[in-house]
Every structure is written in C-alpha cells, then in structure tokens.
PDB file of all heavy atoms in Angstrom:
ATOM      1  N   ASP G  10       0.823  -1.185  -0.042  1.00  0.00           N
ATOM      2  CA  ASP G  10      -0.029  -0.028  -0.001  1.00  0.00           C
ATOM      3  C   ASP G  10       0.812   1.250  -0.012  1.00  0.00           C
ATOM      4  O   ASP G  10       0.347   2.384  -0.060  1.00  0.00           O
ATOM      5  CB  ASP G  10      -0.998   0.049   1.201  1.00  0.00           C
ATOM      6  CG  ASP G  10      -0.206  -0.063   2.543  1.00  0.00           C
ATOM      7  OD1 ASP G  10       1.020  -0.065   2.540  1.00  0.00           O
ATOM      8  OD2 ASP G  10      -0.975  -0.102   3.552  1.00  0.00           O
ATOM      9  N   SER G  11       2.163   1.140   0.032  1.00  0.00           N
ATOM     10  CA  SER G  11       3.002   2.341   0.126  1.00  0.00           C
ATOM     11  C   SER G  11       3.701   2.514  -1.223  1.00  0.00           C
ATOM     12  O   SER G  11       4.519   3.492  -1.452  1.00  0.00           O
ATOM     13  CB  SER G  11       4.099   2.277   1.135  1.00  0.00           C
ATOM     14  OG  SER G  11       5.036   1.203   0.889  1.00  0.00           O
ATOM     15  N   ILE G  12       3.507   1.622  -2.236  1.00  0.00           N
ATOM     16  CA  ILE G  12       4.084   1.679  -3.582  1.00  0.00           C
ATOM     17  C   ILE G  12       3.282   2.585  -4.443  1.00  0.00           C
ATOM     18  O   ILE G  12       2.077   2.286  -4.552  1.00  0.00           O
ATOM     19  CB  ILE G  12       4.246   0.303  -4.183  1.00  0.00           C
ATOM     20  CG1 ILE G  12       5.105  -0.546  -3.256  1.00  0.00           C
ATOM     21  CG2 ILE G  12       4.942   0.479  -5.518  1.00  0.00           C
ATOM     22  CD1 ILE G  12       5.218  -1.954  -3.760  1.00  0.00           C
ATOM     23  N   ALA G  13       3.837   3.655  -4.911  1.00  0.00           N
ATOM     24  CA  ALA G  13       3.099   4.606  -5.682  1.00  0.00           C
ATOM     25  C   ALA G  13       3.944   5.025  -6.893  1.00  0.00           C
ATOM     26  O   ALA G  13       5.190   5.294  -6.795  1.00  0.00           O
ATOM     27  CB  ALA G  13       2.692   5.837  -5.011  1.00  0.00           C
ATOM     28  N   ALA G  14       3.347   5.147  -8.101  1.00  0.00           N
ATOM     29  CA  ALA G  14       4.074   5.659  -9.265  1.00  0.00           C
ATOM     30  C   ALA G  14       4.428   7.080  -8.972  1.00  0.00           C
ATOM     31  O   ALA G  14       3.694   7.839  -8.361  1.00  0.00           O
ATOM     32  CB  ALA G  14       3.235   5.477 -10.530  1.00  0.00           C
ATOM     33  N   SER G  15       5.495   7.618  -9.650  1.00  0.00           N
ATOM     34  CA  SER G  15       5.961   8.928  -9.482  1.00  0.00           C
ATOM     35  C   SER G  15       6.129   9.516 -10.792  1.00  0.00           C
ATOM     36  O   SER G  15       6.412   8.948 -11.741  1.00  0.00           O
ATOM     37  CB  SER G  15       7.240   8.996  -8.596  1.00  0.00           C
ATOM     38  OG  SER G  15       8.163   8.140  -9.201  1.00  0.00           O
ATOM     39  N   GLU G  16       5.960  10.886 -10.871  1.00  0.00           N
ATOM     40  CA  GLU G  16       6.123  11.696 -12.057  1.00  0.00           C
ATOM     41  C   GLU G  16       7.401  12.578 -11.882  1.00  0.00           C
ATOM     42  O   GLU G  16       7.537  13.182 -10.830  1.00  0.00           O
ATOM     43  CB  GLU G  16       4.933  12.535 -12.315  1.00  0.00           C
ATOM     44  CG  GLU G  16       3.693  11.676 -12.686  1.00  0.00           C
ATOM     45  CD  GLU G  16       3.667  11.179 -14.128  1.00  0.00           C
ATOM     46  OE1 GLU G  16       4.299  11.816 -14.911  1.00  0.00           O
ATOM     47  OE2 GLU G  16       2.910  10.215 -14.361  1.00  0.00           O
ATOM     48  N   TYR G  17       8.168  12.711 -12.868  1.00  0.00           N
ATOM     49  CA  TYR G  17       9.303  13.586 -12.914  1.00  0.00           C
ATOM     50  C   TYR G  17       9.154  14.525 -14.070  1.00  0.00           C
ATOM     51  O   TYR G  17      10.004  14.546 -14.968  1.00  0.00           O
ATOM     52  CB  TYR G  17      10.568  12.850 -12.908  1.00  0.00           C
ATOM     53  CG  TYR G  17      10.899  12.174 -11.638  1.00  0.00           C
ATOM     54  CD1 TYR G  17      10.547  10.786 -11.456  1.00  0.00           C
ATOM     55  CD2 TYR G  17      11.526  12.780 -10.600  1.00  0.00           C
ATOM     56  CE1 TYR G  17      10.827  10.120 -10.263  1.00  0.00           C
ATOM     57  CE2 TYR G  17      11.779  12.122  -9.329  1.00  0.00           C
ATOM     58  CZ  TYR G  17      11.395  10.807  -9.222  1.00  0.00           C
ATOM     59  OH  TYR G  17      11.661  10.188  -8.043  1.00  0.00           O
ATOM     60  N   VAL G  18       8.083  15.249 -14.209  1.00  0.00           N
ATOM     61  CA  VAL G  18       7.881  16.099 -15.349  1.00  0.00           C
ATOM     62  C   VAL G  18       8.318  17.525 -14.945  1.00  0.00           C
ATOM     63  O   VAL G  18       7.688  18.115 -14.031  1.00  0.00           O
ATOM     64  CB  VAL G  18       6.365  16.145 -15.740  1.00  0.00           C
ATOM     65  CG1 VAL G  18       6.174  17.083 -16.823  1.00  0.00           C
ATOM     66  CG2 VAL G  18       5.907  14.730 -16.114  1.00  0.00           C
ATOM     67  N   PRO G  19       9.343  18.067 -15.569  1.00  0.00           N
ATOM     68  CA  PRO G  19       9.821  19.365 -15.149  1.00  0.00           C
ATOM     69  C   PRO G  19       8.765  20.457 -15.486  1.00  0.00           C
ATOM     70  O   PRO G  19       8.146  20.388 -16.503  1.00  0.00           O
ATOM     71  CB  PRO G  19      11.071  19.552 -15.991  1.00  0.00           C
ATOM     72  CG  PRO G  19      10.924  18.614 -17.120  1.00  0.00           C
ATOM     73  CD  PRO G  19      10.193  17.484 -16.623  1.00  0.00           C
ATOM     74  N   VAL G  20       8.701  21.388 -14.605  1.00  0.00           N
ATOM     75  CA  VAL G  20       7.638  22.501 -14.744  1.00  0.00           C
ATOM     76  C   VAL G  20       8.419  23.624 -15.409  1.00  0.00           C
ATOM     77  O   VAL G  20       9.409  24.078 -14.919  1.00  0.00           O
ATOM     78  CB  VAL G  20       7.094  22.985 -13.463  1.00  0.00           C
ATOM     79  CG1 VAL G  20       6.184  24.124 -13.635  1.00  0.00           C
ATOM     80  CG2 VAL G  20       6.326  21.808 -12.792  1.00  0.00           C
ATOM     81  N   LYS G  21       7.964  24.090 -16.533  1.00  0.00           N
ATOM     82  CA  LYS G  21       8.545  25.204 -17.229  1.00  0.00           C
ATOM     83  C   LYS G  21       7.934  26.486 -16.828  1.00  0.00           C
ATOM     84  O   LYS G  21       6.775  26.837 -17.190  1.00  0.00           O
ATOM     85  CB  LYS G  21       8.425  24.998 -18.805  1.00  0.00           C
ATOM     86  CG  LYS G  21       9.233  26.061 -19.548  1.00  0.00           C
ATOM     87  CD  LYS G  21       9.191  25.749 -21.059  1.00  0.00           C
ATOM     88  CE  LYS G  21      10.074  26.787 -21.833  1.00  0.00           C
ATOM     89  NZ  LYS G  21      10.027  26.498 -23.281  1.00  0.00           N
ATOM     90  N   PRO G  22       8.518  27.258 -15.912  1.00  0.00           N
ATOM     91  CA  PRO G  22       7.883  28.489 -15.428  1.00  0.00           C
ATOM     92  C   PRO G  22       7.803  29.529 -16.449  1.00  0.00           C
ATOM     93  O   PRO G  22       8.656  29.696 -17.379  1.00  0.00           O
ATOM     94  CB  PRO G  22       8.827  28.880 -14.306  1.00  0.00           C
ATOM     95  CG  PRO G  22      10.206  28.396 -14.672  1.00  0.00           C
ATOM     96  CD  PRO G  22       9.910  27.113 -15.480  1.00  0.00           C
ATOM     97  N   ARG G  23       6.696  30.248 -16.371  1.00  0.00           N
ATOM     98  CA  ARG G  23       6.545  31.436 -17.194  1.00  0.00           C
ATOM     99  C   ARG G  23       6.708  32.668 -16.349  1.00  0.00           C
ATOM    100  O   ARG G  23       6.306  32.710 -15.203  1.00  0.00           O
ATOM    101  CB  ARG G  23       5.176  31.497 -17.926  1.00  0.00           C
ATOM    102  CG  ARG G  23       5.110  30.446 -19.000  1.00  0.00           C
ATOM    103  CD  ARG G  23       3.803  30.667 -19.810  1.00  0.00           C
ATOM    104  NE  ARG G  23       3.795  32.014 -20.421  1.00  0.00           N
ATOM    105  CZ  ARG G  23       4.423  32.255 -21.609  1.00  0.00           C
ATOM    106  NH1 ARG G  23       5.129  31.362 -22.251  1.00  0.00           N
ATOM    107  NH2 ARG G  23       4.293  33.471 -22.180  1.00  0.00           N
ATOM    108  N   LEU G  24       7.278  33.736 -16.854  1.00  0.00           N
ATOM    109  CA  LEU G  24       7.596  34.900 -16.054  1.00  0.00           C
ATOM    110  C   LEU G  24       6.963  36.110 -16.682  1.00  0.00           C
ATOM    111  O   LEU G  24       6.986  36.301 -17.907  1.00  0.00           O
ATOM    112  CB  LEU G  24       9.113  35.056 -16.115  1.00  0.00           C
ATOM    113  CG  LEU G  24       9.696  36.387 -15.474  1.00  0.00           C
ATOM    114  CD1 LEU G  24       9.358  36.520 -13.976  1.00  0.00           C
ATOM    115  CD2 LEU G  24      11.135  36.511 -15.716  1.00  0.00           C
ATOM    116  N   ARG G  25       6.393  36.900 -15.777  1.00  0.00           N
ATOM    117  CA  ARG G  25       5.987  38.298 -16.245  1.00  0.00           C
ATOM    118  C   ARG G  25       6.985  39.237 -15.693  1.00  0.00           C
ATOM    119  O   ARG G  25       7.167  39.330 -14.483  1.00  0.00           O
ATOM    120  CB  ARG G  25       4.595  38.563 -15.672  1.00  0.00           C
ATOM    121  CG  ARG G  25       4.085  39.966 -16.037  1.00  0.00           C
ATOM    122  CD  ARG G  25       2.755  40.190 -15.633  1.00  0.00           C
ATOM    123  NE  ARG G  25       2.337  41.607 -16.037  1.00  0.00           N
ATOM    124  CZ  ARG G  25       1.062  41.885 -16.384  1.00  0.00           C
ATOM    125  NH1 ARG G  25       0.153  40.999 -16.385  1.00  0.00           N
ATOM    126  NH2 ARG G  25       0.824  43.141 -16.678  1.00  0.00           N
ATOM    127  N   LEU G  26       7.729  39.832 -16.622  1.00  0.00           N
ATOM    128  CA  LEU G  26       8.794  40.771 -16.205  1.00  0.00           C
ATOM    129  C   LEU G  26       8.176  41.969 -15.427  1.00  0.00           C
ATOM    130  O   LEU G  26       7.190  42.522 -15.830  1.00  0.00           O
ATOM    131  CB  LEU G  26       9.442  41.286 -17.463  1.00  0.00           C
ATOM    132  CG  LEU G  26      10.473  40.338 -18.172  1.00  0.00           C
ATOM    133  CD1 LEU G  26      10.931  40.959 -19.466  1.00  0.00           C
ATOM    134  CD2 LEU G  26      11.636  40.038 -17.250  1.00  0.00           C
ATOM    135  N   PRO G  27       8.865  42.375 -14.349  1.00  0.00           N
ATOM    136  CA  PRO G  27       8.482  43.555 -13.627  1.00  0.00           C
ATOM    137  C   PRO G  27       8.497  44.769 -14.545  1.00  0.00           C
ATOM    138  O   PRO G  27       9.384  44.826 -15.480  1.00  0.00           O
ATOM    139  CB  PRO G  27       9.503  43.688 -12.481  1.00  0.00           C
ATOM    140  CG  PRO G  27      10.080  42.230 -12.328  1.00  0.00           C
ATOM    141  CD  PRO G  27       9.989  41.645 -13.691  1.00  0.00           C
ATOM    142  N   GLU G  28       7.579  45.719 -14.412  1.00  0.00           N
ATOM    143  CA  GLU G  28       7.510  46.869 -15.326  1.00  0.00           C
ATOM    144  C   GLU G  28       8.790  47.656 -15.264  1.00  0.00           C
ATOM    145  O   GLU G  28       9.240  48.228 -16.294  1.00  0.00           O
ATOM    146  CB  GLU G  28       6.319  47.717 -14.948  1.00  0.00           C
ATOM    147  CG  GLU G  28       5.007  47.116 -15.262  1.00  0.00           C
ATOM    148  CD  GLU G  28       3.826  48.075 -14.919  1.00  0.00           C
ATOM    149  OE1 GLU G  28       4.096  49.287 -14.699  1.00  0.00           O
ATOM    150  OE2 GLU G  28       2.717  47.665 -14.914  1.00  0.00           O
ATOM    151  N   ALA G  29       9.456  47.756 -14.101  1.00  0.00           N
ATOM    152  CA  ALA G  29      10.674  48.521 -14.043  1.00  0.00           C
ATOM    153  C   ALA G  29      11.804  47.909 -14.856  1.00  0.00           C
ATOM    154  O   ALA G  29      12.595  48.510 -15.522  1.00  0.00           O
ATOM    155  CB  ALA G  29      11.095  48.709 -12.580  1.00  0.00           C
ATOM    156  N   ALA G  30      11.812  46.575 -14.880  1.00  0.00           N
ATOM    157  CA  ALA G  30      12.835  45.855 -15.606  1.00  0.00           C
ATOM    158  C   ALA G  30      12.521  46.049 -17.149  1.00  0.00           C
ATOM    159  O   ALA G  30      13.470  46.216 -17.905  1.00  0.00           O
ATOM    160  CB  ALA G  30      12.832  44.360 -15.261  1.00  0.00           C
ATOM    161  N   VAL G  31      11.303  45.977 -17.561  1.00  0.00           N
ATOM    162  CA  VAL G  31      10.889  46.192 -18.960  1.00  0.00           C
ATOM    163  C   VAL G  31      11.352  47.568 -19.367  1.00  0.00           C
ATOM    164  O   VAL G  31      11.898  47.685 -20.446  1.00  0.00           O
ATOM    165  CB  VAL G  31       9.384  45.985 -19.108  1.00  0.00           C
ATOM    166  CG1 VAL G  31       8.958  46.417 -20.529  1.00  0.00           C
ATOM    167  CG2 VAL G  31       9.012  44.526 -18.894  1.00  0.00           C
ATOM    168  N   GLU G  32      11.134  48.525 -18.542  1.00  0.00           N
ATOM    169  CA  GLU G  32      11.434  49.961 -18.887  1.00  0.00           C
ATOM    170  C   GLU G  32      12.981  50.041 -19.066  1.00  0.00           C
ATOM    171  O   GLU G  32      13.495  50.647 -19.954  1.00  0.00           O
ATOM    172  CB  GLU G  32      10.924  50.866 -17.903  1.00  0.00           C
ATOM    173  CG  GLU G  32      11.391  52.325 -18.003  1.00  0.00           C
ATOM    174  CD  GLU G  32      11.002  52.950 -19.379  1.00  0.00           C
ATOM    175  OE1 GLU G  32       9.950  52.541 -19.913  1.00  0.00           O
ATOM    176  OE2 GLU G  32      11.682  53.831 -19.837  1.00  0.00           O
ATOM    177  N   ALA G  33      13.714  49.448 -18.187  1.00  0.00           N
ATOM    178  CA  ALA G  33      15.229  49.537 -18.126  1.00  0.00           C
ATOM    179  C   ALA G  33      15.712  48.836 -19.336  1.00  0.00           C
ATOM    180  O   ALA G  33      16.643  49.411 -20.087  1.00  0.00           O
ATOM    181  CB  ALA G  33      15.770  48.876 -16.896  1.00  0.00           C
ATOM    182  N   LEU G  34      15.162  47.699 -19.773  1.00  0.00           N
ATOM    183  CA  LEU G  34      15.678  46.962 -20.890  1.00  0.00           C
ATOM    184  C   LEU G  34      15.268  47.743 -22.219  1.00  0.00           C
ATOM    185  O   LEU G  34      16.064  47.805 -23.184  1.00  0.00           O
ATOM    186  CB  LEU G  34      15.043  45.510 -20.902  1.00  0.00           C
ATOM    187  CG  LEU G  34      15.590  44.610 -19.921  1.00  0.00           C
ATOM    188  CD1 LEU G  34      14.694  43.383 -19.759  1.00  0.00           C
ATOM    189  CD2 LEU G  34      17.007  44.126 -20.238  1.00  0.00           C
ATOM    190  N   SER G  35      14.068  48.242 -22.225  1.00  0.00           N
ATOM    191  CA  SER G  35      13.605  48.984 -23.416  1.00  0.00           C
ATOM    192  C   SER G  35      14.345  50.277 -23.724  1.00  0.00           C
ATOM    193  O   SER G  35      14.616  50.634 -24.859  1.00  0.00           O
ATOM    194  CB  SER G  35      12.114  49.322 -23.263  1.00  0.00           C
ATOM    195  OG  SER G  35      11.347  48.124 -23.201  1.00  0.00           O
ATOM    196  N   SER G  36      14.793  50.900 -22.617  1.00  0.00           N
ATOM    197  CA  SER G  36      15.425  52.199 -22.737  1.00  0.00           C
ATOM    198  C   SER G  36      16.957  52.096 -22.938  1.00  0.00           C
ATOM    199  O   SER G  36      17.673  53.106 -23.336  1.00  0.00           O
ATOM    200  CB  SER G  36      15.094  53.135 -21.628  1.00  0.00           C
ATOM    201  OG  SER G  36      15.557  52.571 -20.411  1.00  0.00           O
ATOM    202  N   SER G  37      17.564  50.983 -22.553  1.00  0.00           N
ATOM    203  CA  SER G  37      18.975  50.772 -22.653  1.00  0.00           C
ATOM    204  C   SER G  37      19.439  50.826 -24.072  1.00  0.00           C
ATOM    205  O   SER G  37      18.887  50.157 -24.965  1.00  0.00           O
ATOM    206  CB  SER G  37      19.408  49.473 -21.971  1.00  0.00           C
ATOM    207  OG  SER G  37      20.800  49.264 -22.132  1.00  0.00           O
ATOM    208  N   ARG G  38      20.553  51.485 -24.345  1.00  0.00           N
ATOM    209  CA  ARG G  38      21.199  51.563 -25.591  1.00  0.00           C
ATOM    210  C   ARG G  38      22.580  50.953 -25.605  1.00  0.00           C
ATOM    211  O   ARG G  38      23.138  50.666 -26.699  1.00  0.00           O
ATOM    212  CB  ARG G  38      21.260  53.025 -26.168  1.00  0.00           C
ATOM    213  CG  ARG G  38      19.972  53.621 -26.441  1.00  0.00           C
ATOM    214  CD  ARG G  38      19.233  52.913 -27.549  1.00  0.00           C
ATOM    215  NE  ARG G  38      17.847  53.390 -27.774  1.00  0.00           N
ATOM    216  CZ  ARG G  38      16.783  52.798 -27.273  1.00  0.00           C
ATOM    217  NH1 ARG G  38      16.871  51.744 -26.474  1.00  0.00           N
ATOM    218  NH2 ARG G  38      15.592  53.242 -27.582  1.00  0.00           N
ATOM    219  N   LYS G  39      23.162  50.688 -24.441  1.00  0.00           N
ATOM    220  CA  LYS G  39      24.447  50.098 -24.361  1.00  0.00           C
ATOM    221  C   LYS G  39      24.483  49.017 -23.220  1.00  0.00           C
ATOM    222  O   LYS G  39      25.293  49.105 -22.289  1.00  0.00           O
ATOM    223  CB  LYS G  39      25.569  51.150 -24.119  1.00  0.00           C
ATOM    224  CG  LYS G  39      25.785  52.074 -25.234  1.00  0.00           C
ATOM    225  CD  LYS G  39      26.863  53.030 -24.948  1.00  0.00           C
ATOM    226  CE  LYS G  39      28.248  52.374 -24.742  1.00  0.00           C
ATOM    227  NZ  LYS G  39      29.286  53.366 -24.367  1.00  0.00           N
ATOM    228  N   PRO G  40      23.568  48.008 -23.338  1.00  0.00           N
ATOM    229  CA  PRO G  40      23.634  47.012 -22.241  1.00  0.00           C
ATOM    230  C   PRO G  40      24.821  46.029 -22.371  1.00  0.00           C
ATOM    231  O   PRO G  40      25.338  45.894 -23.451  1.00  0.00           O
ATOM    232  CB  PRO G  40      22.312  46.316 -22.482  1.00  0.00           C
ATOM    233  CG  PRO G  40      22.111  46.355 -24.035  1.00  0.00           C
ATOM    234  CD  PRO G  40      22.644  47.675 -24.364  1.00  0.00           C
ATOM    235  N   ILE G  41      25.223  45.531 -21.274  1.00  0.00           N
ATOM    236  CA  ILE G  41      26.238  44.441 -21.279  1.00  0.00           C
ATOM    237  C   ILE G  41      25.752  43.266 -20.295  1.00  0.00           C
ATOM    238  O   ILE G  41      25.200  43.542 -19.248  1.00  0.00           O
ATOM    239  CB  ILE G  41      27.593  44.983 -20.741  1.00  0.00           C
ATOM    240  CG1 ILE G  41      28.176  45.940 -21.756  1.00  0.00           C
ATOM    241  CG2 ILE G  41      28.592  43.833 -20.492  1.00  0.00           C
ATOM    242  CD1 ILE G  41      29.435  46.634 -21.411  1.00  0.00           C
ATOM    243  N   ILE G  42      25.957  42.030 -20.701  1.00  0.00           N
ATOM    244  CA  ILE G  42      25.470  40.915 -19.996  1.00  0.00           C
ATOM    245  C   ILE G  42      26.684  40.360 -19.220  1.00  0.00           C
ATOM    246  O   ILE G  42      27.745  40.124 -19.756  1.00  0.00           O
ATOM    247  CB  ILE G  42      24.913  39.847 -20.942  1.00  0.00           C
ATOM    248  CG1 ILE G  42      23.656  40.383 -21.615  1.00  0.00           C
ATOM    249  CG2 ILE G  42      24.655  38.511 -20.151  1.00  0.00           C
ATOM    250  CD1 ILE G  42      23.205  39.453 -22.721  1.00  0.00           C
ATOM    251  N   TRP G  43      26.498  40.096 -17.899  1.00  0.00           N
ATOM    252  CA  TRP G  43      27.423  39.407 -17.074  1.00  0.00           C
ATOM    253  C   TRP G  43      26.777  38.003 -16.872  1.00  0.00           C
ATOM    254  O   TRP G  43      25.848  37.860 -16.175  1.00  0.00           O
ATOM    255  CB  TRP G  43      27.580  40.204 -15.764  1.00  0.00           C
ATOM    256  CG  TRP G  43      28.374  39.445 -14.669  1.00  0.00           C
ATOM    257  CD1 TRP G  43      28.145  38.252 -14.046  1.00  0.00           C
ATOM    258  CD2 TRP G  43      29.541  40.023 -14.054  1.00  0.00           C
ATOM    259  NE1 TRP G  43      29.057  38.043 -13.101  1.00  0.00           N
ATOM    260  CE2 TRP G  43      29.918  39.070 -13.058  1.00  0.00           C
ATOM    261  CE3 TRP G  43      30.226  41.177 -14.091  1.00  0.00           C
ATOM    262  CZ2 TRP G  43      30.975  39.290 -12.202  1.00  0.00           C
ATOM    263  CZ3 TRP G  43      31.309  41.355 -13.250  1.00  0.00           C
ATOM    264  CH2 TRP G  43      31.804  40.387 -12.316  1.00  0.00           C
ATOM    265  N   ALA G  44      27.372  36.982 -17.417  1.00  0.00           N
ATOM    266  CA  ALA G  44      26.814  35.625 -17.362  1.00  0.00           C
ATOM    267  C   ALA G  44      27.574  34.806 -16.286  1.00  0.00           C
ATOM    268  O   ALA G  44      28.756  34.615 -16.439  1.00  0.00           O
ATOM    269  CB  ALA G  44      26.948  34.921 -18.764  1.00  0.00           C
ATOM    270  N   GLY G  45      26.829  34.336 -15.296  1.00  0.00           N
ATOM    271  CA  GLY G  45      27.373  33.448 -14.272  1.00  0.00           C
ATOM    272  C   GLY G  45      27.056  32.062 -14.481  1.00  0.00           C
ATOM    273  O   GLY G  45      26.406  31.668 -15.544  1.00  0.00           O
ATOM    274  N   ALA G  46      27.443  31.155 -13.662  1.00  0.00           N
ATOM    275  CA  ALA G  46      27.300  29.709 -13.800  1.00  0.00           C
ATOM    276  C   ALA G  46      25.785  29.310 -13.856  1.00  0.00           C
ATOM    277  O   ALA G  46      25.464  28.371 -14.558  1.00  0.00           O
ATOM    278  CB  ALA G  46      27.915  29.013 -12.671  1.00  0.00           C
ATOM    279  N   GLY G  47      24.896  30.174 -13.307  1.00  0.00           N
ATOM    280  CA  GLY G  47      23.501  29.851 -13.398  1.00  0.00           C
ATOM    281  C   GLY G  47      22.932  30.069 -14.786  1.00  0.00           C
ATOM    282  O   GLY G  47      21.708  29.748 -15.050  1.00  0.00           O
ATOM    283  N   SER G  48      23.694  30.589 -15.682  1.00  0.00           N
ATOM    284  CA  SER G  48      23.151  30.781 -17.061  1.00  0.00           C
ATOM    285  C   SER G  48      23.645  29.743 -18.048  1.00  0.00           C
ATOM    286  O   SER G  48      23.251  29.737 -19.179  1.00  0.00           O
ATOM    287  CB  SER G  48      23.728  32.171 -17.602  1.00  0.00           C
ATOM    288  OG  SER G  48      25.155  32.183 -17.723  1.00  0.00           O
ATOM    289  N   ILE G  49      24.380  28.752 -17.521  1.00  0.00           N
ATOM    290  CA  ILE G  49      24.876  27.684 -18.414  1.00  0.00           C
ATOM    291  C   ILE G  49      23.669  26.816 -18.902  1.00  0.00           C
ATOM    292  O   ILE G  49      22.810  26.472 -18.219  1.00  0.00           O
ATOM    293  CB  ILE G  49      25.783  26.699 -17.612  1.00  0.00           C
ATOM    294  CG1 ILE G  49      27.123  27.403 -17.300  1.00  0.00           C
ATOM    295  CG2 ILE G  49      26.110  25.460 -18.510  1.00  0.00           C
ATOM    296  CD1 ILE G  49      28.089  26.638 -16.465  1.00  0.00           C
ATOM    297  N   GLY G  50      23.569  26.680 -20.174  1.00  0.00           N
ATOM    298  CA  GLY G  50      22.472  25.971 -20.842  1.00  0.00           C
ATOM    299  C   GLY G  50      21.309  26.827 -21.227  1.00  0.00           C
ATOM    300  O   GLY G  50      20.378  26.363 -21.973  1.00  0.00           O
ATOM    301  N   ALA G  51      21.319  28.140 -20.830  1.00  0.00           N
ATOM    302  CA  ALA G  51      20.307  29.102 -21.271  1.00  0.00           C
ATOM    303  C   ALA G  51      20.624  29.709 -22.617  1.00  0.00           C
ATOM    304  O   ALA G  51      21.768  29.636 -23.046  1.00  0.00           O
ATOM    305  CB  ALA G  51      20.093  30.088 -20.149  1.00  0.00           C
ATOM    306  N   ARG G  52      19.657  30.353 -23.213  1.00  0.00           N
ATOM    307  CA  ARG G  52      19.868  31.017 -24.501  1.00  0.00           C
ATOM    308  C   ARG G  52      20.495  32.362 -24.386  1.00  0.00           C
ATOM    309  O   ARG G  52      20.052  33.418 -24.876  1.00  0.00           O
ATOM    310  CB  ARG G  52      18.576  31.104 -25.277  1.00  0.00           C
ATOM    311  CG  ARG G  52      17.904  29.716 -25.514  1.00  0.00           C
ATOM    312  CD  ARG G  52      16.458  29.933 -26.000  1.00  0.00           C
ATOM    313  NE  ARG G  52      16.378  30.679 -27.265  1.00  0.00           N
ATOM    314  CZ  ARG G  52      15.276  31.107 -27.820  1.00  0.00           C
ATOM    315  NH1 ARG G  52      14.075  30.827 -27.182  1.00  0.00           N
ATOM    316  NH2 ARG G  52      15.192  31.793 -28.917  1.00  0.00           N
ATOM    317  N   VAL G  53      21.763  32.384 -23.852  1.00  0.00           N
ATOM    318  CA  VAL G  53      22.412  33.622 -23.576  1.00  0.00           C
ATOM    319  C   VAL G  53      22.844  34.333 -24.887  1.00  0.00           C
ATOM    320  O   VAL G  53      22.650  35.562 -25.059  1.00  0.00           O
ATOM    321  CB  VAL G  53      23.704  33.401 -22.707  1.00  0.00           C
ATOM    322  CG1 VAL G  53      24.502  34.754 -22.596  1.00  0.00           C
ATOM    323  CG2 VAL G  53      23.303  32.829 -21.349  1.00  0.00           C
ATOM    324  N   ALA G  54      23.238  33.522 -25.919  1.00  0.00           N
ATOM    325  CA  ALA G  54      23.567  34.130 -27.191  1.00  0.00           C
ATOM    326  C   ALA G  54      22.410  34.762 -27.810  1.00  0.00           C
ATOM    327  O   ALA G  54      22.461  35.891 -28.416  1.00  0.00           O
ATOM    328  CB  ALA G  54      24.147  33.024 -28.130  1.00  0.00           C
ATOM    329  N   ASP G  55      21.280  34.212 -27.766  1.00  0.00           N
ATOM    330  CA  ASP G  55      20.014  34.774 -28.334  1.00  0.00           C
ATOM    331  C   ASP G  55      19.704  36.092 -27.651  1.00  0.00           C
ATOM    332  O   ASP G  55      19.274  37.086 -28.333  1.00  0.00           O
ATOM    333  CB  ASP G  55      18.864  33.742 -28.209  1.00  0.00           C
ATOM    334  CG  ASP G  55      18.966  32.559 -29.084  1.00  0.00           C
ATOM    335  OD1 ASP G  55      19.836  32.601 -30.024  1.00  0.00           O
ATOM    336  OD2 ASP G  55      18.261  31.573 -28.887  1.00  0.00           O
TER     337      ASP G  55
END
C-alpha cells in the first residue's frame, strides 16, 4: 500500500517581467551581460 508511481515532469515556469525591468531593458542603448554559472544551458547568445 506504500508503492506509488511517481512523475518527474519538469515544470517550465513562465515569467511576467516587472515593469521597471521592462522599462530599463527597453530604454537601454548600451547594455552588457554578465553571465554566471546559473546561465549555463540558457539561450544567452540569443
């Protein structure tokens, strides 16, 4: 009675960017990206 099937389906979170961040990104003309280890595997080049 303690044996149960398990699911390992990763949840892909969706994000609503904060308005202040949207404004900062939209108005920037000379942005630079600092990529740390937490960005490995993400679409940094894109």
